[in-house]
Amino acid sequence: MAKKNKNKKAAHVEQNFDQRTNKSEPQFRTRSFLASIRDRFTNDFDESVSINADIRAGLSALRNRTRSAAINNSYVRRYLKLIRVNVVGPDGIQLSVQGTNLDGKFDPISTTIESHFWRWATPQNCSTNGRFDFRKAQEIVIESVARDGEALVMLRRGAEFGPYNFQLQILDADHLDENYNVILSNGNQVIQGVEVNSYGKPIAYWIWKNNPADATFGVGEASNSRIRVDAKDILHIYDPERASQVRGFPWLTSSLLPLHQIEEFNKSIAINARVAANKQIFYKQGDMPITDEAGYQADDLGNVTFESTPGANEILPYGWDVVQMDWKVPTDSVESYQTTVLRGAAVGLGINYNSLAGDLSDVNYSSARFGGLEDQAQYRSMQYWFINAFVKPVYEAWLDMQLLTNSWGLNIPIDKFTKFANVNYRPRSYQSVDPVKDINADIVALKNNLTSYTAVIEKRGGDPEATLRQIAKDRALMESLGITPKDVIDTMIAEQNLNSDGTSGTVGSM
């Protein structure tokens, strides 16, 4: 009897399973990842196995949509502006050459090399089109990566490319054809326009000679052509998320749809409000015809025009009625809807809602400090990636060309490349929410040997060597004038204490 009941139970399990899956073999609950189970709640999951295939299928359309949004969507423009301002900043990524001799002392030639680099960084020397300097090039590249997913920078070398024999040519991502996929006779594989060897290392890039997005040139071979560019002559800048990824996709990808919906929602609200303001009352015609005796005239189409004046009482024709329209505008839900959607979009972009929306209405000291530090951590991570992906390779390619050509007569041998490639890269710094507390914290850390003057100065975006030299120069000048630096500091502290007590004060005589 027990065996019979057991068989009935098993059959019942199989029968229930058949009703749900239309399969004959029974399914029993086993240990598994809940997110991997396929049922009616998870059937809408996307299970694409290759990110390269996903990019190849929709990269061009996605790129076009993000570009359109960058022009027309205020929140997308806000995000791109935040990226430019917080990653590049007003002065761009700065650098200081730190070449040292065998004895560990600073080599003064480093200063000369650095001076020539900033001469090269001017618009007429930096770019092939002569329109932007190195700081602007940084802005263009970082915005292209955020908007398009990637940027292409050709390193142009030779006497025709300025007095330093080196210039940058920035290309749109459209030049790299995501639909070009072949296996070459040498065994290399071209994946979405990128030629890689058997280890997946980029060897060359197959670039459209002319931008296929230009109306003058089509995509086909008849109207355009590809050129093979060696990998050493091009920087393909994107932030990969998988080891096998060879093309980048826009950073806006996950947030583009909700940001688009907000714009469309606002457009609908505006249309609704305009219609409501223009049309308040409609007249409903009855069964009786319009007669001249009624005082109303109808046109050839039967339309009747009513004129109204302030304070006048109108008499409608016999059989006519007034229909008043109530155009309901969801003003109560607009703000909450926008806030909810923008919070989700900000999460996808990796920044705070208040930064994206420009909304500081609910910000207090604690939330401002926490949100500011979180945003700064995000931007610092971008800066570190951007330096290694663009700024450092450009400087090293420039330095290599200068040592090879000796275009400004220093006669530095090429084997000194490593020495003068020792560079301190300084991204922009960020203002503190509470600078007094942060400075006091730095002072305590310095007194307890938990940090260094160099680290503190770099954290604020300064050049440690230049700052310390200036401090030494200022102290020497003050001492030559009979001024003790300590007296100056004490006077400033006293002034600060007076102001903190609510009384006015001026810095006394030094």
Side-chain angles (χ1 to χ4, degrees):
M1 179 67 68
K3 184 176 181 181
K4 184 176 181 181
N5 291 338
K6 182 177 181 181
N7 291 338
K8 284 185 178 181
K9 183 177 181 180
H12 178 68
V13 170
E14 182 175 350
Q15 182 180 5
N16 289 340
F17 182 80
D18 288 343
Q19 292 174 354
R20 289 185 290 115
T21 65
N22 294 323
K23 293 184 178 180
S24 59
E25 63 272 10
Q27 178 180 355
F28 299 97
R29 184 177 297 276
T30 59
R31 294 180 180 178
S32 179
F33 297 106
L34 295 179
S36 69
I37 297 175
R38 180 183 288 276
D39 57 20
R40 66 181 182 274
F41 297 108
T42 60
N43 281 333
D44 56 351
F45 264 88
D46 184 5
E47 297 182 2
S48 303
V49 296
S50 172
I51 196 168
N52 286 334
D54 294 341
I55 292 176
R56 185 185 308 132
L59 181 58
S60 179
L62 179 60
R63 192 164 57 225
N64 291 336
R65 289 182 180 182
T66 55
R67 287 175 178 175
S68 175
I71 298 173
N72 301 304
N73 190 297
S74 57
Y75 295 109
V76 173
R77 289 186 67 85
R78 167 72 173 170
Y79 171 70
L80 295 176
K81 180 179 179 180
L82 289 172
I83 293 296
R84 291 196 310 269
V85 170
N86 289 282
V87 177
V88 175
D91 300 319
I93 308 293
Q94 298 289 303
L95 60 85
S96 176
V97 183
Q98 300 292 317
T100 57
N101 296 319
L102 294 177
D103 58 2
K105 294 183 178 180
F106 178 78
D107 190 335
I109 298 179
S110 298
T111 303
T112 303
I113 294 176
E114 181 180 333
S115 176
H116 276 283
F117 178 80
W118 292 117
R119 290 182 191 175
W120 167 83
T122 57
Q124 63 270 21
N125 295 330
C126 174
S127 58
T128 54
N129 59 18
R131 292 200 299 265
F132 45 80
D133 59 9
F134 190 47
R135 188 203 67 83
K136 187 60 180 179
Q138 295 176 38
E139 280 192 346
I140 292 174
V141 169
I142 192 65
E143 183 170 348
S144 296
V145 175
R147 183 191 62 238
D148 301 341
E150 54 195 349
L152 301 172
V153 181
M154 292 191 69
L155 308 177
R156 294 294 195 176
R157 301 176 176 89
E160 68 269 34
F161 298 110
Y164 290 93
N165 302 295
F166 182 84
Q167 288 181 335
L168 305 179
Q169 182 182 6
I170 302 178
L171 302 175
D172 289 332
D174 307 81
H175 281 268
L176 193 57
D177 187 3
E178 63 268 13
N179 296 311
Y180 186 46
N181 303 276
V182 297
I183 298 178
L184 304 176
S185 58
N186 60 5
N188 291 344
Q189 185 178 4
V190 179
I191 304 175
Q192 301 169 58
V194 182
E195 181 181 336
V196 298
N197 62 14
S198 58
Y199 300 103
K201 180 180 179 179
I203 302 299
Y205 295 87
W206 291 81
I207 305 294
W208 286 114
K209 185 177 180 180
N210 300 299
N211 191 338
D214 192 328
T216 308
F217 306 100
V219 179
E221 296 286 350
S223 55
N224 207 346
S225 60
R226 297 186 187 91
I227 56 175
R228 184 181 184 274
V229 181
D230 195 276
K232 68 180 179 60
D233 295 324
I234 195 165
L235 299 178
H236 183 202
I237 304 165
Y238 69 101
D239 191 10
E241 297 187 8
R242 290 182 58 178
S244 61
Q245 185 177 338
V246 299
R247 296 293 299 268
F249 54 88
W251 294 353
L252 287 153
T253 299
S254 62
S255 300
L256 184 61
L257 185 58
L259 292 178
H260 172 72
Q261 296 300 335
I262 284 184
E263 288 291 318
E264 293 301 307
F265 179 75
N266 290 338
K267 187 186 300 183
S268 299
I269 294 296
I271 293 174
N272 191 315
R274 290 184 62 182
V275 172
N278 292 334
K279 291 184 177 293
Q280 299 291 339
I281 297 177
F282 291 86
Y283 296 96
K284 182 179 179 182
Q285 184 177 3
D287 297 332
M288 299 297 294
I290 298 296
T291 63
D292 293 339
E293 291 77 9
Y296 296 93
Q297 299 295 327
D299 59 19
D300 295 338
L301 299 178
N303 299 318
V304 179
T305 302
F306 298 91
E307 294 184 1
S308 62
T309 57
N313 295 321
E314 297 289 338
I315 300 176
L316 293 177
Y318 179 75
W320 281 55
D321 195 3
V322 174
V323 179
Q324 188 168 358
M325 304 300 295
D326 184 11
W327 301 87
K328 294 185 179 297
V329 180
T331 54
D332 295 337
S333 62
V334 170
E335 185 175 355
S336 61
Y337 170 78
Q338 288 184 336
T339 300
T340 301
V341 176
L342 279 176
R343 288 188 189 279
V347 169
L349 296 174
I351 60 176
N352 281 288
Y353 156 78
N354 302 100
S355 298
L356 179 63
D359 179 12
L360 302 178
S361 59
D362 61 345
V363 174
N364 54 37
Y365 171 80
S366 298
S367 62
R369 183 175 177 83
F370 178 79
L373 292 175
E374 190 175 32
D375 278 350
Q376 289 178 19
Q378 174 77 1
Y379 294 133
R380 289 184 191 279
S381 177
M382 291 182 184
Q383 288 174 337
Y384 181 80
W385 165 81
F386 187 61
I387 288 171
N388 286 279
F390 178 62
V391 181
K392 182 178 179 180
V394 167
Y395 169 77
E396 293 183 350
W398 173 88
L399 176 64
D400 181 72
M401 194 62 186
Q402 306 319 302
L403 299 186
L404 286 173
T405 60
N406 189 28
S407 56
W408 25 278
L410 284 180
N411 296 318
I412 302 175
I414 189 64
D415 59 1
K416 299 297 183 182
F417 173 85
T418 303
K419 174 181 179 180
F420 296 109
N422 181 26
V423 172
N424 179 22
Y425 296 95
R426 301 189 311 277
R428 65 147 292 177
S429 60
Y430 304 98
Q431 293 184 352
S432 172
V433 177
D434 194 337
V436 175
K437 287 186 178 180
D438 289 341
I439 291 174
N440 288 333
D442 289 335
I443 294 173
V444 172
L446 285 169
K447 288 181 177 179
N448 291 278
N449 297 320
L450 298 177
T451 188
S452 66
Y453 287 98
T454 297
V456 173
I457 295 171
E458 286 180 343
K459 183 173 68 173
R460 287 170 170 77
D463 182 348
E465 182 180 352
T467 302
L468 294 175
R469 288 179 184 274
Q470 187 63 47
I471 291 174
K473 183 178 179 180
D474 291 346
R475 287 181 175 177
L477 177 61
M478 285 189 290
E479 290 174 356
S480 68
L481 298 174
I483 302 172
T484 303
K486 184 177 183 301
D487 294 338
V488 176
I489 296 174
D490 290 342
T491 303
M492 294 176 67
I493 292 175
E495 167 68 12
Q496 177 63 33
N497 291 335
L498 285 174
N499 289 331
S500 64
D501 291 338
T503 59
S504 61
T506 58
V507 177
S509 174
M510 296 183 189

